[in-house]
Amino acid sequence: MIWKHVKYLHLPLSPIIMLALSTQHFAHAASDPHKKAGEHATPRNTATAHSAVHAGANATAAPEKISVVGSGSTRQMQSISRRDLQYLVPGTTPLKAVGNMPGVQFSSSDPLGIDLWSQSFYMHGFTSDQLGFTVDGISLGGQGYESHDGVPVNRVISNENISHTDVSQGAGGLDTPSTSNLGGTVRFYSDDPSDRMGGKVSQTFGSYNAFRTFVRFDSGKLNKSGTKFYISYDRRAEDKWLGGDSQFQQMVNTKLVQPINDHTTFKAYFDWSSEAAASYLDNSLEMLNKVGYDSDYYYPNYGAALNAANGNYPAKYQGLSDPKNAAYYRGIETSSYYVGGMSLDSKLNKNLDSKTTFYGVGKRYDAWWTSPYVSSPSGAPLAAQDQAMSSRRLGFQTDLIYRFRHHTFDAGFWYENSTYSPEMDYFNEPNSANGTPYNELAHKGEPFMIGYGEAFNTNTYVFHLQDTYKVLPNLTLHAGFRTMVVNASDRVTYNDARYTGGKQIPAGSLTAEAAALPQFSGNWRFAPHNEFYFDISKNMQAYPEGGYNMFSPWGAETQSDFNALKKNLRPETDWVYEIGYRLQTRRVIGLLNLYHTDFSNRQQSISVGPLVTAHSLFENVGSVNMNGVDASVTFIPVRHLSIYNSISYNSSKFENNLTSGGVLYHLKGKQEPNYAHLMYKNSLNYSIKGVNIHFDTLFMGKRYLSYTNDTRVPSYWLENFGVSYTLHDVSVARNLKFDFNIYNITDERYISNMGSGGNPLSGDYNSLQVGAPRSFYGTISADF
């Protein structure tokens, strides 16, 4: 029996639960119709109270104020505080904390989320490349593996440096610098350096030789003007829980804050990171049925990989329909990222504020596989394959916020220029089991073949205008629009006939534009503790960029195919509708959210062929109709105890059939793959006198592998446990904390990530990854 593909996520603590536990006084503020959400936050919840004023791109520009459960917001918005992130194992990607929310799926075969290949993120049915992500207003682009413009958030900022996260699950804010957010947005904010000199040291140990060290130094105020900075170093490493490889990441964050006068502040942020993360093997349903859950790459046994490339397979693979595609020698990614930004916040007068941010982003990314489908000059029937890419983005965003009577007007402009250069390189492998395989980490030597190379240049122009109108003390309306123009051009730099068959690789330009993408929303507090909200918005996604045979209009087979596609191609758009109800009292915090989405020109990636040589066909599957509901409730029956439950349901169905390769596929009425119909999450949390204990449960319903829904993986349950103890004023340490976490307590065997290599129109595909077994982690940390 194949266990359901589900996202492996640690549910150490729901953000809503932690808020409920730590802000019992906060609920009183919400019950007073004359007080703003967060006004009575206790000192214990300083980060949460601070985050409540960040519904917009920044505190100054925020047109509305929200609480952690979204109280006061005209859209479905929630906030995650620094405290919530502390309940993850240190070093875990912060997307896991967002994954605790209803309607959100996060999965990773790697317990800490270092490996991007085995990781995916969905929110209300949208993938991470269809959402908007930012850090301090800097656009992060898509979060998926090999995203052309993306920088994963766990490559940008350490959890300890995040002050809070604002999540808009339905539609993103008009001021979000993103051209991909068909759905919502996730905005991360770094904390400012401390006013006093100090720092933090944290050390984590865990299963499979997990080892993570974090060190941060805060300068404190250096002079009368208030200059201050921090710098941190984050190093994490772990062995794969299956197979013989490992994963490693290191990162440096630094931030400077310089007040210029009482009304203006300059801030600068910089990040550098470097990774070498081995991936887990992609399985098919056939492999899981016939071979089991213990298969991985041949690494470090090069001889076994050489034999398999020659057709001599291990006994366990010989009964498979495609044993060559069952396993390769190695799969690993190496990468480096640079992210820098500068911002100037000014209060120009009592009614007018401004914020301007300049940023630059650079990355080099190499996705390695040892392909048995290309021979080396040595005569070996395999070669080291490198899907290499580099990108650079430079941009700025400026906003003016004007308050007039009961109105808050916000007008802004975002511009970005980006370059993106993908290519496929092949390196020699030895034709002897005793030879030395190509070293991907050292990456020295010249490729014997550059299959293709391309160079993209993109200019993005986005203008937004919005107004938040306080009609009555208990009624707020919001209206606005954004104008978007994205022009992308491509030229071919390499075309090796041995790889492409001599075909003319597509090149040319495409423009995605929309004169006005409107948004209208409102909030009505009809009684103390109770409010309704609604939101209607239209969104558009710029065309995805990708090289030859990759998911992109430019990935077409030939130039003539691209030219024919260009004539009728339209950007993917959608209308998102949501309506909801919030309840916030001292003992009960509840949320009910209903949403509906109509897609036009829905664009999907259809995978054909073996994984390392797969063609990711760019298909317009027409219209998709999505309906969903999220519900959550937090009970606080007695002091120190909170009980959180959430349930979410999603129906996302195609409205058209599809003809591909001359074959008609009956997609109409079928559910989109990879995203579950049903999810349930539960957390119990008890905290008293420095001790915190939490127990979390996740149920993930069935998900489909193919577009025609003829293959699927079943549901499963997952449980996690954590306990921490904090001591105060121990010697030179202000706080000394001990954490212990167990992931997957029952040692469930389940499928974690799904669709990593794409999805087939029908049938089976090597696109499933097994979830991690029971894992233990312990951490000791100190604040000075």
Side-chain angles (χ1 to χ4, degrees):
M1 178 178 183
I2 304 300
W3 290 98
K4 159 83 181 137
H5 159 52
V6 59
K7 306 197 160 210
Y8 174 82
L9 46 101
H10 172 51
L11 297 175
L13 194 60
S14 163
I16 299 179
I17 293 184
M18 284 316 300
L19 173 72
L21 182 66
S22 61
T23 59
Q24 295 185 41
H25 296 292
F26 177 76
H28 291 298
S31 68
D32 188 338
H34 302 291
K35 291 175 181 174
K36 297 176 181 178
E39 196 170 79
H40 283 187
T42 63
R44 186 178 177 189
N45 193 39
T46 303
T48 298
H50 179 65
S51 70
V53 299
H54 283 76
N58 51 76
T60 304
E64 56 182 348
K65 295 179 173 62
I66 64 170
S67 75
V68 184
V69 292
S71 296
S73 173
T74 60
R75 289 176 285 127
Q76 164 56 349
M77 297 186 68
Q78 297 185 56
S79 189
I80 301 173
S81 71
R82 178 203 304 272
R83 184 180 183 89
D84 305 316
L85 291 173
Q86 292 176 354
Y87 290 86
L88 298 172
V89 172
T92 304
T93 173
L95 290 179
K96 271 195 175 182
V98 183
N100 295 333
M101 292 181 171
V104 180
Q105 291 182 176
F106 173 82
S107 71
S108 177
S109 294
D110 162 28
L112 298 183
I114 298 175
D115 175 28
L116 295 179
W117 179 257
S118 69
Q119 180 183 128
S120 61
F121 181 92
Y122 291 82
M123 187 161 68
H124 282 186
F126 295 97
T127 71
S128 60
D129 284 337
Q130 297 169 326
L131 302 168
F133 294 84
T134 66
V135 167
D136 289 348
I138 300 173
S139 173
L140 296 184
Q143 299 292 286
Y145 185 83
E146 293 186 340
S147 175
H148 73 276
D149 65 345
V151 182
V153 64
N154 66 330
R155 307 296 204 247
V156 179
I157 188 167
S158 299
N159 288 9
E160 291 87 345
N161 297 332
I162 298 175
S163 67
H164 65 283
T165 305
D166 289 342
V167 182
S168 177
Q169 289 181 257
L174 295 173
D175 57 344
T176 304
S178 169
T179 60
S180 60
N181 59 302
L182 287 168
T185 57
V186 182
R187 298 182 176 190
F188 298 91
Y189 296 90
S190 66
D191 64 346
D192 286 345
S194 174
D195 288 342
R196 55 166 286 179
M197 184 181 293
K200 181 182 181 69
V201 177
S202 174
Q203 182 64 60
T204 299
F205 302 92
S207 298
Y208 313 106
N209 296 318
F211 187 90
R212 193 258 185 174
T213 303
F214 176 83
V215 179
R216 168 169 159 165
F217 169 74
D218 284 78
S219 68
K221 289 187 176 181
L222 298 174
N223 50 42
K224 292 182 179 180
S225 69
T227 305
K228 55 184 179 179
F229 72 89
Y230 71 72
I231 185 169
S232 69
Y233 176 71
D234 182 340
R235 181 189 185 279
R236 63 194 81 172
E238 60 180 352
D239 291 340
K240 288 172 55 180
W241 57 266
L242 181 64
D245 226 325
S246 61
Q247 297 166 338
F248 172 81
Q249 179 184 0
Q250 58 182 337
M251 177 164 49
V252 174
N253 297 160
T254 184
K255 186 174 184 179
L256 169 72
V257 174
Q258 175 61 66
I260 297 176
N261 53 45
D262 291 341
H263 305 293
T264 303
T265 302
F266 171 81
K267 296 182 180 181
Y269 179 82
F270 178 76
D271 160 75
W272 167 82
S273 71
S274 176
E275 297 78 31
S279 300
Y280 290 90
L281 182 69
D282 292 86
N283 294 268
S284 64
L285 294 171
E286 180 192 29
M287 286 178 61
L288 292 171
N289 277 321
K290 294 182 178 180
V291 180
Y293 290 78
D294 299 324
S295 295
D296 199 55
Y297 292 96
Y298 293 115
Y299 181 89
N301 188 347
Y302 180 74
L306 186 62
N307 287 335
N310 281 310
N312 301 315
Y313 307 109
K316 64 180 181 180
Y317 292 150
Q318 290 178 2
L320 298 177
S321 58
D322 187 4
K324 178 182 285 190
N325 194 38
Y328 312 128
Y329 173 61
R330 194 182 196 188
I332 189 170
E333 57 136 319
T334 58
S335 58
S336 58
Y337 297 88
Y338 302 86
V339 179
M342 300 181 294
S343 65
L344 194 67
D345 292 89
S346 299
K347 189 171 184 62
L348 303 178
N349 59 47
K350 66 177 182 179
N351 294 322
L352 182 62
D353 302 333
S354 73
K355 177 169 184 174
T356 299
T357 299
F358 292 88
Y359 64 89
V361 177
K363 75 173 180 180
R364 167 71 190 199
Y365 197 93
D366 296 270
W368 295 92
W369 278 279
T370 305
S371 171
Y373 299 97
V374 175
S375 297
S376 292
S378 66
L382 43 74
Q385 171 184 308
D386 178 17
Q387 174 65 72
M389 62 183 68
S390 60
S391 69
R392 183 271 301 155
R393 297 193 285 121
L394 299 173
F396 74 90
Q397 178 166 341
T398 184
D399 278 85
L400 287 174
I401 300 90
Y402 180 67
R403 290 172 293 276
F404 176 73
R405 295 182 178 176
H406 300 293
H407 294 267
T408 300
F409 298 99
D410 176 4
F413 178 73
W414 171 45
Y415 169 75
E416 180 182 275
N417 173 263
S418 66
T419 61
Y420 164 60
S421 301
E423 64 179 52
M424 183 71 76
D425 300 337
Y426 288 90
F427 297 83
N428 187 69
E429 292 283 18
N431 194 19
S432 169
N434 298 320
T436 302
Y438 185 82
N439 188 335
E440 297 92 344
L441 301 183
H443 193 11
K444 295 180 180 179
E446 294 296 323
F448 68 82
M449 180 173 67
I450 300 178
Y452 74 85
E454 298 179 61
F456 289 83
N457 188 284
T458 304
N459 288 289
T460 299
Y461 311 86
V462 179
F463 169 78
H464 73 266
L465 177 65
Q466 57 187 339
D467 173 30
T468 302
Y469 177 33
K470 195 78 171 178
V471 183
L472 298 169
N474 63 339
L475 177 63
T476 302
L477 296 178
H478 171 269
F481 70 93
R482 67 192 318 218
T483 299
M484 183 190 303
V485 178
V486 183
N487 177 263
S489 61
D490 170 44
R491 61 183 178 87
V492 177
T493 57
Y494 295 98
N495 181 358
D496 194 311
R498 292 174 293 176
Y499 182 83
T500 65
K503 297 175 182 177
Q504 185 182 10
I505 296 179
S509 64
L510 288 172
T511 299
E513 56 186 354
L517 298 169
Q519 184 177 86
F520 181 61
S521 56
N523 179 285
W524 177 39
R525 191 176 62 251
F526 61 91
H529 315 291
N530 296 267
E531 64 183 44
F532 282 121
Y533 63 88
F534 73 91
D535 178 73
I536 302 172
S537 66
K538 184 179 182 181
N539 310 293
M540 182 185 78
Q541 183 182 41
Y543 296 115
E545 296 174 13
Y548 180 68
N549 280 335
M550 295 177 66
F551 174 61
S552 160
W554 292 273
E557 280 284 306
T558 65
Q559 183 68 45
S560 60
D561 290 339
F562 174 80
N563 294 339
L565 182 67
K566 183 177 179 179
K567 290 180 180 179
N568 300 311
L569 188 63
R570 297 293 181 272
E572 187 172 1
T573 60
D574 65 17
W575 281 93
V576 177
Y577 308 85
E578 65 176 358
I579 185 171
Y581 165 74
R582 301 183 183 103
L583 170 67
Q584 184 166 315
T585 68
R586 181 181 179 87
R587 298 297 183 190
V588 180
I589 300 175
L591 171 68
L592 177 65
N593 182 72
L594 292 87
Y595 60 91
H596 170 80
T597 303
D598 287 319
F599 294 96
S600 297
N601 301 306
R602 186 68 160 158
Q603 294 158 5
Q604 298 281 11
S605 173
I606 312 298
S607 294
V608 179
L611 184 64
V612 298
T613 61
H615 293 189
S616 296
L617 303 180
F618 182 79
E619 295 281 6
N620 186 333
V621 297
S623 300
V624 175
N625 184 291
M626 182 191 295
N627 295 286
V629 58
D630 300 330
S632 66
V633 61
T634 300
F635 296 103
I636 311 172
V638 295
R639 186 175 175 83
H640 309 301
L641 174 66
S642 67
I643 305 171
Y644 167 80
N645 289 274
S646 77
I647 190 167
S648 36
Y649 172 82
N650 176 277
S651 174
S652 179
K653 296 185 176 181
F654 298 104
E655 296 188 321
N656 307 93
N657 294 323
L658 174 68
T659 299
S660 180
V663 179
L664 175 65
Y665 294 90
H666 296 278
L667 268 60
K668 187 174 182 179
K670 303 300 184 181
Q671 179 81 2
E672 287 196 279
N674 301 333
Y675 189 68
H677 270 300
L678 183 67
M679 288 185 290
Y680 168 73
K681 300 170 186 178
N682 166 267
S683 293
L684 301 176
N685 185 81
Y686 184 76
S687 184
I688 186 173
K689 294 182 179 180
V691 177
N692 176 268
I693 303 172
H694 54 88
F695 181 84
D696 315 293
T697 300
L698 166 70
F699 170 79
M700 190 71 69
K702 66 180 181 182
R703 282 180 284 181
Y704 292 102
L705 174 61
S706 69
Y707 285 90
T708 56
N709 295 176
D710 59 349
T711 50
R712 68 175 187 176
V713 288
S715 59
Y716 79 95
W717 291 85
L718 191 68
E719 291 81 25
N720 306 291
F721 170 81
V723 59
S724 66
Y725 180 58
T726 303
L727 298 170
H728 302 287
D729 300 320
V730 179
S731 184
V732 297
R734 286 183 293 158
N735 299 296
L736 183 63
K737 185 180 179 184
F738 302 88
D739 291 272
F740 178 70
N741 287 272
I742 307 176
Y743 287 170
N744 190 5
I745 296 174
T746 59
D747 203 24
E748 181 81 2
R749 302 198 78 176
Y750 65 101
I751 297 170
S752 171
N753 196 26
M754 184 178 187
S756 55
N759 296 85
L761 280 168
S762 178
D764 201 359
Y765 195 66
N766 290 61
S767 197
L768 309 173
Q769 294 181 333
V770 178
R774 182 167 46 233
S775 308
F776 302 88
Y777 298 91
T779 302
I780 180 170
S781 58
D783 296 302
F784 300 95

